[in-house]
Amino acid sequence: MKGFRSAQRFLSAFSGISPYFRPRRHLMNAPEYRAEMTIRFAIWDQATSVAGLPAEA
């Protein structure tokens, strides 16, 4: 039962975040999509404070 609850918690949190990383691809050409995703990931890094941490090997 613990695995199910963990999965439910993850999915409930992820459902609010995942649309942010899935723009309406069919409405964009490739350069627009890449630019949009670059912006979104930069904002995500800022919001989660990942940008200042060293990368893991």
Side-chain angles (χ1 to χ4, degrees):
M1 191 54 101
K2 181 179 179 185
F4 176 74
R5 288 186 182 146
S6 296
Q8 282 299 113
R9 249 188 325 196
F10 169 78
L11 291 173
S12 68
F14 187 70
S15 68
I17 298 167
S18 69
Y20 184 74
F21 292 103
R22 290 185 296 159
R24 310 288 254 148
R25 175 74 172 103
H26 65 284
L27 300 176
M28 301 178 185
N29 60 34
E32 290 172 346
Y33 176 79
R34 284 191 290 269
E36 182 65 26
M37 291 309 291
T38 298
I39 292 166
R40 289 181 186 207
F41 275 107
I43 292 169
W44 180 255
D45 286 346
Q46 262 186 336
T48 59
S49 301
V50 173
L53 298 177
E56 290 185 33

